[in-house]
Amino acid sequence: MQIVETILALVLTLGILVTLHEAGHFWVARRCGVKVLRFSVGFGKPLFSWYDRHGTEFAVAAIPLGGYVKMLDEREGPVPEELKDQAFNSKSPSKRIAIAAAGPVANFLFAIFAYWLLSVVGFTTVAPIVGDVSQGSVADRVGLASGMEIHEVDGRRVTSWRDVNMRLLERTGEFGEVTLEVSQDGSRGTLRGSLGGWQLSEDTPNPLSEFGVTPWRPDVPAVLGEISPGGRAEAAGLKPGDRVVEVDGKPVSDWFELVDFIRDAPETALELTIERDGRTQQIVVTPAERTADDGSVTGFVGAGVSEVTWPDHVLRDVSYGPLAAIPNAVSETWGDTRLTLVAIKKMVTGLLSPTNLSGPITIARIAEASVSSGFEDFIRFLAYLSVSLGVLNLLPIPVLDGGHIVYYTIEAIRRKPLSEQAQAFGLRIGMAMILTLMVFALYNDLMRL
């Protein structure tokens, strides 16, 4: 069932972003007088299609990993004399540049709209308050301590751990100084320290953890929440709201300690002392055995934690008026654009490992998680992915929109197009680069499973 949900989340995510991207090409092409033959979301044989009054076919195809807008073009086949003025190749270089750039521009505009919508609707976030700091880490060198709230990273305002993560990602692999604006017990100050070339792990990059910070969180008592039907917890008679105080006579301080007890005892009977309705009683449960991808064996009983309530003093309500939300949305979009460009630069220069490159499997898993997390997380994920799609498509690589823009710009300067041989050579190089990146990203995805 989870695989189906993940696939549906991927289809939904890519379907939205691809449709927006191709709609940009389509809208500008129509206004430049180019006849559009097909607007396809997905590749391969159409699952279904329909035609509008202009004769354009709109199709949804079987392979949901992209899309395209097919335009009338004399280079791809004979064009009737009366339609030659509507062919893409008959238009000026400036119009062709506008059509090629329209897809990425649509991605950036969507991101701005998404962040504007979130800003106007408003949302509540958990303040970036430090829980623990790892000894000897970058955070330790900088001077971060438990209880400090982070307000700025390198002069840029942050209101959540997501913001902090994004700022730290930009600094991975660097040896310079990082500056943090923090507060604690009513006083505010600035911390500075050397990054020392800190790196993200290749398998599961976590900027906060590798920076040396564990976010503050409220105590999570060992109180059971949802009980999975048919699981060992249900079979033993455990119920939502039960508080586990002991396991085999050993006291349990919080939920995480209870999880450790259960994980370490696959197919081993455990006597739980629980509190239920003000009374104490013992229940014996035997955790089922589960084997992870790395071969390790752990126990589980099919019970979730009861919902944790965050205290009001760590919550921040963020909202803007319709006009004030515009510059904030533009700033958020620029931040995502900057992060994507920095990541590309660091991969090329070797400061960031290429193993951090992600493909459709990782995107599907993140999409499924963001859909499950709620509206805000999903919209943020869509916005960031939309920006990444826009930036990547503007790279000057033949096959991509950026490569076409380079060709048309050269044509405008030279007053004639590049030779067919030169364009064909560039096309082969571009295809080789894109296929290599796709294979490498897919390989990284499989290694993360």
Side-chain angles (χ1 to χ4, degrees):
M1 187 53 138
Q2 186 175 2
I3 293 177
V4 174
E5 292 176 354
T6 301
I7 292 174
L8 290 176
L10 174 65
V11 171
L12 175 63
T13 300
L14 292 185
I16 293 172
L17 297 182
V18 167
T19 300
L20 289 166
H21 182 91
E22 300 305 333
H25 292 309
F26 171 80
W27 190 83
V28 174
R30 278 271 179 91
R31 274 140 193 82
C32 288
V34 175
K35 183 175 179 59
V36 179
L37 302 178
R38 175 183 285 178
F39 183 119
S40 178
V41 177
F43 297 118
K45 185 178 179 180
L47 298 174
F48 56 90
S49 63
W50 66 95
Y51 291 84
D52 69 359
R53 61 188 178 85
H54 299 285
T56 300
E57 179 188 13
F58 293 84
V60 176
I63 306 174
L65 297 178
Y68 61 91
V69 170
K70 183 178 181 181
M71 294 171 249
L72 190 68
D73 196 315
E74 292 179 281
R75 296 168 298 179
E76 297 183 5
V79 175
E81 190 65 35
E82 65 274 14
L83 295 178
K84 285 189 175 180
D85 64 327
Q86 298 181 48
F88 177 79
N89 64 291
S90 71
K91 301 303 177 181
S92 65
S94 60
K95 287 186 176 180
R96 280 178 276 153
I97 289 173
I99 294 170
V105 169
N107 288 123
F108 293 122
L109 291 177
F110 169 75
I112 292 173
F113 169 74
Y115 284 127
W116 176 86
L117 180 64
L118 285 178
S119 299
V120 171
V121 171
F123 55 91
T124 300
T125 186
V126 176
I129 299 174
V130 178
D132 294 315
V133 175
S134 301
Q135 189 173 3
S137 65
V138 179
D140 188 32
R141 292 201 302 270
V142 170
L144 277 175
S146 177
M148 288 183 174
E149 180 176 350
I150 304 173
H151 298 280
E152 293 181 3
V153 177
D154 293 330
R156 298 166 67 185
R157 180 171 173 258
V158 293
T159 58
S160 67
W161 282 117
R162 176 189 179 275
D163 294 342
V164 177
N165 258 318
M166 299 289 273
R167 301 293 81 80
L168 293 180
L169 276 171
E170 294 183 15
R171 303 300 307 275
T172 181
E174 297 183 12
F175 287 86
E177 188 176 72
V178 65
T179 303
L180 305 176
E181 187 80 15
V182 301
S183 66
Q184 187 174 31
D185 299 328
S187 61
R188 191 156 174 158
T190 302
L191 303 177
R192 292 183 176 85
S194 172
L195 288 167
W198 75 291
Q199 292 282 352
L200 299 181
S201 68
E202 297 183 357
D203 298 326
T204 55
N206 184 332
L208 281 180
S209 175
E210 286 147 33
F211 193 74
V213 172
T214 299
W216 181 89
R217 63 189 178 199
D219 292 333
V220 183
V223 178
L224 304 185
E226 183 179 357
I227 303 295
S228 301
R232 297 290 178 88
E234 183 185 59
L238 291 169
K239 297 180 180 181
D242 288 347
R243 182 186 186 108
V244 181
V245 294
E246 290 183 353
V247 175
D248 288 341
K250 299 175 183 177
V252 175
S253 59
D254 58 24
W255 173 260
F256 305 102
E257 192 168 8
L258 173 61
V259 170
D260 288 339
F261 275 121
I262 293 172
R263 283 181 175 172
D264 294 340
E267 298 300 339
T268 302
L270 298 175
E271 184 181 68
L272 308 185
T273 301
I274 67 167
E275 291 180 353
R276 178 189 296 173
D277 299 329
R279 298 179 180 179
T280 300
Q281 66 183 90
Q282 280 71 39
I283 290 181
V284 176
V285 61
T286 302
E289 184 179 284
R290 176 163 48 195
T291 303
D293 294 332
D294 61 2
S296 60
V297 178
T298 56
F300 73 103
V301 297
V305 64
S306 179
E307 184 177 356
V308 177
T309 301
W310 290 82
D312 291 340
H313 75 274
V314 303
L315 300 179
R316 302 289 182 268
D317 293 322
V318 181
S319 63
Y320 296 82
L323 292 179
I326 295 175
N328 180 67
V330 172
S331 176
E332 291 270 14
T333 302
W334 167 242
D336 290 351
T337 303
R338 175 188 170 92
L339 176 59
T340 304
L341 290 171
V342 168
I344 293 171
K345 176 185 174 182
K346 289 185 176 181
M347 282 190 186
V348 172
T349 58
L351 289 177
L352 187 63
S353 172
T355 55
N356 290 304
L357 189 66
S358 297
I361 296 176
T362 298
I363 292 172
R365 293 170 69 181
I366 297 174
E368 194 273 333
S370 63
V371 169
S372 302
S373 297
F375 175 77
E376 181 198 340
D377 286 340
F378 184 56
I379 294 298
R380 285 188 180 279
F381 174 67
L382 277 179
Y384 179 71
L385 202 57
S386 187
V387 168
S388 298
L389 184 63
V391 171
L392 293 175
N393 268 281
L394 284 176
L395 294 178
I397 299 174
V399 179
L400 299 179
D401 296 325
H404 293 306
I405 291 172
V406 170
Y407 281 160
Y408 305 147
T409 301
I410 293 174
E411 180 180 343
I413 295 172
R414 297 176 71 235
R415 307 269 182 180
K416 62 178 181 178
L418 288 171
S419 67
E420 290 186 7
Q421 293 85 351
Q423 293 190 46
F425 179 72
L427 181 65
R428 287 194 293 271
I429 293 177
M431 285 292 293
M433 293 176 67
I434 296 302
L435 286 174
T436 300
L437 284 173
M438 289 175 63
V439 170
F440 193 71
L442 184 59
Y443 172 79
N444 287 344
D445 282 356
L446 295 173
M447 290 299 100
R448 294 188 185 110
L449 292 177

